[in-house]
Amino acid sequence: MAIKTDFNISPYFDDYLESKRFHRVLFRPGFAVQARELTQIQSILQNQIQRLGDHLFKDGAQVIPGEIQYINTYHFVKLSAFSGSSVTDLIGTVFTGGTNGVVAEVWNATAATATEAATLFVNYTKTATTGASAGVINRFVSGESLSGTGGATATVGTTNVALPIDSKAIGTGSAVRVEAGIYYVNGLFVQNEAQTLILEPYFVNPSFKVGFTITESIVTQSDDTTLNDNAQGSSNVNAPGAHRFKITLTLAKKELDDTEDDDFIELMRV
């Protein structure tokens, strides 16, 4: 695929045509520099890079480590109470169970809905440390009080707090995680952020296509004030600068029979 954004509009006027076979813009003294000429320089170079990229890579190929991993042990803990104004504030908190001393770090969280309790997704790091359960119990238990770093507290729900989807307060869901890296997308080498996508919060056998949703956008100085001229000490400091073209890759899931893939690059199937 190629970039879909049309730059041959005001105020860019990039009328570059590959069929004309132009390979350089040759500036001359005494002639004003056109905005389109500056933009076409980038188009000419991008065209060359894309030709090489298309020869070496398939669209959507992983170029620099950005490994994608399916996780079928994405442990959930539904809560009946928690400290703070939002359950997402607990991400990164390390909780210790008051009943058995099990320890877990919160990796993700979802707010309560009409059918489900607020839920933490955790990585258990330490089994029970007390009594007959020592070294045996490796999860929190229903109704348990949790104490966390930074003074955070929470209470694990019981089997009657949730939920048409799943009656259990503790169990295992599924997710996909992609690490930060570089992917070849639409003729460009695009950086992606590390992201985790919950496939099924309370179910370990999902069926989805997983990949990146591609979003093209133009960023102006109104969106990002750092685009204003930063030439401190000059008369043009803070003057509006050039706009920027941006591509964002967002991890997403689609049904297996979904055929709307125009702005979607599939990375794996589960």
Side-chain angles (χ1 to χ4, degrees), residues 95-232:
F95 278 112
T96 301
T99 302
N100 298 307
V102 173
V103 178
E105 180 183 1
V106 180
W107 276 0
N108 209 336
T110 56
T113 68
T115 59
E116 286 297 338
T119 304
L120 301 179
F121 296 90
V122 304
N123 177 41
Y124 290 104
T125 59
K126 192 174 184 179
T127 58
T129 59
T130 59
S133 299
V136 178
I137 301 299
N138 59 2
R139 295 185 184 184
F140 297 139
V141 295
S142 297
E144 186 173 20
S145 295
L146 310 178
S147 56
T149 51
T153 61
T155 303
V156 181
T158 56
T159 53
N160 62 355
V161 251
L163 338 193
I165 295 177
D166 195 316
S167 62
K168 297 182 295 182
I170 298 164
T172 305
S174 53
V176 165
R177 177 170 176 80
V178 64
E179 301 298 333
I182 304 290
Y183 281 78
Y184 184 67
V185 177
N186 294 358
L188 295 163
F189 295 94
V190 182
Q191 185 177 25
N192 71 287
E193 296 180 348
Q195 301 170 58
T196 300
L197 174 70
I198 298 171
L199 297 179
E200 293 285 2
Y202 314 116
F203 185 56
V204 295
N205 293 307
S207 295
F208 291 107
K209 294 189 292 186
V210 180
F212 286 128
T213 297
I214 306 165
T215 304
E216 296 182 2
S217 60
I218 292 177
V219 180
T220 72
Q221 71 278 358
S222 298
D223 305 311
D224 186 345
T225 57
T226 65
L227 300 188
N228 291 327
D229 200 320
N230 65 349
Q232 295 290 334

Side-chain angles (χ1 to χ4, degrees), residues 17-52:
L17 290 174
E18 184 177 5
S19 60
K20 290 190 174 183
R21 296 189 290 279
F22 293 155
H23 292 285
R24 288 198 176 196
V25 178
L26 305 176
F27 298 105
R28 296 178 294 162
F31 292 85
V33 176
Q34 302 170 14
R36 72 159 182 173
E37 292 171 342
L38 297 175
T39 304
Q40 277 196 13
I41 291 174
Q42 299 172 75
S43 296
I44 290 171
L45 293 175
Q46 173 57 36
N47 180 258
Q48 295 294 304
I49 293 171
Q50 183 170 350
R51 287 174 177 173
L52 177 62

